[in-house]
Amino acid sequence: MKNIYSNIFSYNKKSLNNTITILKKGNIVGLPTETVYGLAGNAYLKEPIKKIYKLKKRPKINPLIVHFFNYRDAENDVILNNNFLKLYKKFCPGPITFILKKKKKSKIQPMVSANLSSIAIRFPSHKVTRSILKKINFPLAMPSANISSNVSPVSAEDVTDEFKKDIKFILNGGECKIGIESTVIDLTRKPTILRPGIIGAKPIAKILKTKINFSKKNSKITSPGMLKRHYSPGIPIILNQTPVNGTIACITIGKKYKNKTNYFNLSKKSNLKEAASNLYKTLRKIKKLKFKKIYVVKIPCSGEGIAINDRLIRAAKKK
Ligand code: TXA
Ligand code: MG
C-alpha cells in the first residue's frame, strides 16, 4: 500500500529550495508555525489564493492572514501605527496577528483580505517558516491548514489527514509548540481582541497602557467568532460536564481525574498553557478512536483558559 504520508518532506536544504520554487510558481504548500500548520501561498498572486480558498472550502468573506519575515517587509503593504510597533517589539516574531489598514499601493491580492480595507499580518517564530520568509520577496497568505470548521492541524501528519492527496507538499517542522492559533488583535481602532490566544489581554494592556476590548459576538468585523461552528472534530461536544465511565470520551484537566481509557487529560498539573497545546491533538485523537460523543470538564476561564474556552464553545456549537 502506498504511504499516505509521502507528501511530507523533512526539512533540509533541498526541501527548503523546493518549497521556495513551488511558492514562486504560484502553488501552495503546507508549512509549520509555532501555533498550528498553515496552507501557504504567494499573497501577491491570484492563483494560489484561489487554490487556498477552494482547498479549505473557505467562505470568500473570511479573510486570510499575511505572514512576513519582519515589519520592514510589511511596510509597503500596511500602515504600521504606534500600537503595532510597541506590540511588535515585545511579542514578535511570535503568536500574535495584527489587523492594520492596507496601503493603497499594496500588491496583496484583494481576495486575501476579502476586499476589506484592512489586512491581518503576522510574523511567525517557527524557524522553518522563518527561513523561507527570509529568502522570498513576497509575503505568504497562510490560513490554518484544515478544511473550514474543522480542528486546526498541529503536525504535518494532521495536514495530510485533512487534505489527503489534494496537497502535494508539506514541509515537516515537527509538532507545533503552542498548538492553538495566534491571538488576533484589531489595531485599526481602540485595540480589540478578535480571537484570544496564548498572548492574553493583560500583557497587551500593560504594553499599550490601555484597556483592551474583546469583540462582541455578531460584531461587524469578520473574525472566526462570528462564523458558525469551528474547531470541530465532527463529534458532539458537551461542555462543563462531570466525567463518566464508558463510551463517552471525557476531556479533563488536573490531578483529580484518574487514568481511564475514555479520559483524556489536557494537563495533569492544571497548566493552562500545556492544556492549550494539547487541545487540538486530543480532539483529533478522540476522533481517530471513533468515540461518538465528548464531555469536557469545566476549564478555568483565565489566562490561556480564555483561548481554550473560546475554541471549545465554538467546537460545541450545533452547526
Ligand atoms: O496562528 C495562526 O494565526 C495561524 C497560522 C497558520 O499562522 N493562522 C490562522 O489563520 O489561524 P486562519 O485563516 O485560520 O484564521 C485567521 C482569522 C480568520 O478567521 C479571519 O476571520 C481573521 O483572522 N482575519 C483575517 N483578516 C482579517 C481582517 N482584515 N479583519 C478581521 N479579521 C481578519
Ligand atoms: Mg483557521
Side-chain angles (χ1 to χ4, degrees):
M1 210 175 76
K2 201 168 173 277
N3 171 15
I4 63 154
Y5 296 115
S6 58
N7 55 1
I8 298 177
F9 294 84
S10 332
Y11 179 66
N12 53 39
K13 217 170 167 186
K14 188 172 164 218
S15 61
L16 172 72
N17 287 331
N18 284 343
T19 306
I20 294 171
T21 308
I22 296 169
L23 288 168
K24 278 188 180 158
K25 280 189 183 155
N27 280 316
I28 57 181
V29 295
L31 290 183
T33 83
E34 71 280 21
T35 57
V36 299
Y37 272 70
L39 204 55
N42 182 340
Y44 291 158
L45 299 178
K46 205 181 254 169
E47 280 312 310
I49 307 308
K50 277 194 187 155
K51 283 178 195 161
I52 288 174
Y53 276 101
K54 191 164 169 217
L55 198 55
K56 274 184 67 76
K57 300 194 177 86
R58 179 160 174 133
K60 296 266 163 46
I61 55 155
N62 194 7
L64 312 177
I65 300 174
V66 183
H67 298 64
F68 293 90
F69 180 70
N70 63 23
Y71 80 93
R72 284 183 198 284
D73 290 349
E75 270 171 342
N76 287 331
D77 293 307
V78 290
I79 300 169
L80 305 174
N81 58 32
N82 280 337
N83 280 346
F84 164 79
L85 290 169
K86 284 182 201 159
L87 294 176
Y88 179 91
K89 207 169 153 196
K90 176 75 185 174
F91 298 117
C92 292
I96 182 162
T97 295
F98 310 95
I99 311 294
L100 292 166
K101 287 210 172 95
K102 187 177 175 179
K103 277 194 177 164
K104 287 231 163 59
K105 63 166 191 182
S106 166
K107 287 193 288 180
I108 291 173
Q109 287 293 323
M111 213 194 322
V112 168
S113 57
N115 289 312
L116 295 171
S117 55
S118 61
I119 291 265
I121 65 166
R122 166 159 138 71
F123 309 87
S125 66
H126 196 292
K127 68 172 183 5
V128 167
T129 293
R130 261 181 87 67
S131 71
I132 293 161
L133 286 166
K134 197 175 175 185
K135 285 195 163 185
I136 54 182
N137 56 1
F138 51 85
L140 296 176
M142 181 157 59
S144 53
N146 54 286
I147 292 169
S148 259
S149 89
N150 286 3
V151 179
S152 296
V154 293
S155 70
E157 290 76 15
D158 290 350
V159 182
T160 303
D161 289 346
E162 229 17 61
F163 297 115
K164 311 281 182 318
K165 291 194 305 297
D166 290 340
I167 179 150
K168 304 280 180 287
F169 196 100
I170 304 160
L171 200 50
N172 199 348
E175 214 169 78
C176 303
K177 290 218 165 65
I178 291 174
I180 60 167
E181 303 85 346
S182 61
T183 304
V184 177
I185 185 159
D186 186 351
L187 298 177
T188 63
R189 51 177 165 153
K190 195 172 176 319
T192 303
I193 291 182
L194 306 183
R195 177 176 73 184
I198 287 303
I199 298 179
K202 266 192 198 154
I204 293 176
K206 206 171 150 196
I207 287 159
L208 299 186
K209 299 190 175 65
T210 177
K211 194 175 164 282
I212 306 298
N213 293 336
F214 277 87
S215 81
K216 297 198 180 61
K217 259 188 260 145
N218 305 324
S219 73
K220 214 178 91 223
I221 288 283
T222 312
S223 74
M226 67 168 287
L227 297 170
K228 291 171 281 182
R229 187 167 67 190
H230 199 6
Y231 317 112
S232 160
I235 309 166
I237 298 182
I238 309 175
L239 305 181
N240 304 324
Q241 297 299 302
T242 308
V244 290
N245 292 334
T247 56
I248 297 174
C250 300
I251 297 183
T252 64
I253 185 165
K255 289 197 293 286
K256 201 167 122 193
Y257 304 102
K258 303 265 161 346
N259 286 341
K260 288 195 179 150
T261 49
N262 65 320
Y263 283 17
F264 299 85
N265 201 316
L266 294 180
S267 169
K268 290 236 162 77
K269 294 174 282 187
S270 293
N271 178 315
L272 291 169
K273 199 168 179 183
E274 181 183 44
S277 76
N278 282 325
L279 181 64
Y280 292 157
K281 208 164 53 180
T282 304
L283 290 174
R284 271 183 196 271
K285 190 160 147 196
I286 289 171
K287 168 133 195 183
K288 277 196 177 154
L289 290 168
K290 301 210 179 335
F291 281 95
K292 297 280 182 291
K293 199 188 237 184
I294 304 175
Y295 278 3
V296 187
V297 301
K298 198 171 171 50
I299 312 258
C301 206
S302 59
E304 295 88 355
I306 295 173
I308 299 174
N309 278 291
D310 169 76
R311 304 309 193 270
L312 283 171
I313 288 166
R314 290 293 304 284
K317 279 199 172 176
K318 290 249 158 40
K319 264 285 169 195

